[in-house]
Amino acid sequence: MATEAALLAGVELGGTKCVCLVGTGPADIRGRVSLPTLSDANATLTRLAQALGDLRAAHGPFAAIGLASFGPLELRRGCAGYGRIERTPKEGWSGVDVRGFFAQRFAEPVGLSTDVIAAALAEGRWGAARDLRDYAYVTVGTGVGVGLIAGGQPLIGGHHPELGHIRIARPAEDRWPGSCRFHGDCLEGLASGPAIEARSGIAPAELPADSPVWDGVAAALAQLAHTLTLTFAPQRILIGGGVALAQPGLLPRIRAALRASLGGYLALPQLEDGMDEFIAPPGLGSLAGPLGALSLASQAAHGLRS
Ligand code: ADP
Ligand code: ZN
């Protein structure tokens, strides 16, 4: 007799909104709640905990809870700050112990990782990175974040990757200072939704597709792709998040800029004939993050570390 897969709960903490998901995978989502991310972190987390409690009352107990959070996050177990958000441009959230908040209120095991590592894991399990061992997941939304899977495992090192803040070379005549509170014109300061809005004076959703602002965004993301290619030659780079998913014209521009930027260096098949599959949208679309949280719950339920 086939046993029914255990019910899991995932919470994605995003810069603009948070999503709670209950289910066992993309084909079996039983409940979903979306809430705004307020600058009052405690109020936001309290509402999320209530939403999880309501979902549990409606759908039954969870085997585990997964948290996929914006960062930077302390992910080293045993460190005093484990599970906390570190210094972040997101007002009101620096130092918040997101894992502890849920661990204190719920008896279920709580798994934690960054939103982008979690999304990468979900894409590997159910989406556009199935059967791949080396790939990247990039979100372009309220911030820019990058999750890396190398040899089938998240690449974390002494700290999880923060490639959204790499320095970007720009034409000398482009003097716009950028919007990152820490670095000005880093990748996030040039290509995130708030950066696009600060630069153009128009919400990204309203910015015409032929605006030159998009060229700068594509050029900056192509430099990230150039760096990733030279770092670990991923089999695929998935680019999602609220900005990229809604702007299908961005990916072709990024591919063209990447090809020009690499200048024929490295004869990898994914660069020669497979550029459309190399720089690709996530298979799970806007559910990559929430399903990523579900993947973390699945790992936690099995006693695995993410
Ligand atoms: P979060 O970063 O909170 O997870 P999202 O990934 O959904 O959220 O990204 C939110 C960003 O997406 C905002 O900066 C918003 O301006 C931008 N956005 C929303 N709709 C569009 C659109 N149609 N075109 C471009 N950007 C958009
Ligand atoms: Zn920055």
Side-chain angles (χ1 to χ4, degrees), residues 23-37:
T24 62
D28 176 30
I29 294 173
R30 302 195 201 163
R32 184 174 164 186
V33 174
S34 189
L35 295 168
T37 309

Side-chain angles (χ1 to χ4, degrees), residues 2-30:
T3 50
E4 206 177 307
L7 192 62
L8 302 165
V11 180
E12 185 198 24
L13 294 166
T16 302
K17 62 178 190 315
C18 301
V19 180
C20 297
L21 208 65
V22 169
T24 62
D28 176 30
I29 294 173
R30 302 195 201 163

Side-chain angles (χ1 to χ4, degrees), residues 129-142:
R130 267 178 283 184
D131 304 322
L132 302 187
R133 291 183 58 76
D134 302 299
Y135 61 95
Y137 178 92
V138 181
T139 184
V140 188
T142 312

Side-chain angles (χ1 to χ4, degrees), residues 9-168:
V11 180
E12 185 198 24
L13 294 166
T16 302
K17 62 178 190 315
C18 301
V19 180
C20 297
L21 208 65
V22 169
T24 62
D28 176 30
I29 294 173
R30 302 195 201 163
R32 184 174 164 186
V33 174
S34 189
L35 295 168
T37 309
L38 310 171
S39 54
D40 184 338
N42 196 56
T44 308
L45 295 173
T46 301
R47 290 173 69 182
L48 287 168
Q50 277 164 0
L52 275 188
D54 292 347
L55 287 165
R56 185 167 54 183
H59 301 285
F62 313 135
I65 298 170
L67 295 179
S69 177
F70 66 88
L73 280 178
E74 175 58 84
L75 291 180
R76 289 173 300 170
R77 283 163 199 261
C79 284
Y82 173 62
R84 286 183 191 272
I85 294 181
E86 302 170 295
R87 206 174 299 145
T88 168
K90 179 89 189 135
E91 200 194 322
W93 285 82
S94 292
V96 171
D97 183 4
V98 287
R99 187 185 174 281
F101 188 94
F102 289 93
Q104 279 160 21
R105 285 164 182 77
F106 291 89
E108 292 89 342
V110 178
L112 171 77
S113 198
T114 70
D115 46 4
V116 278
I117 291 173
L121 291 170
E123 287 292 329
R125 187 159 174 186
W126 297 300
R130 267 178 283 184
D131 304 322
L132 302 187
R133 291 183 58 76
D134 302 299
Y135 61 95
Y137 178 92
V138 181
T139 184
V140 188
T142 312
V144 176
V146 184
L148 303 180
I149 305 293
Q153 294 296 323
L155 186 71
I156 293 178
H159 195 280
H160 61 79
E162 278 289 339
L163 287 155
H165 295 272
I166 57 171
R167 293 286 176 196
I168 298 295

Side-chain angles (χ1 to χ4, degrees), residues 165 180 182-183 186:
H165 295 272
C180 176
F182 294 92
H183 317 112
C186 68

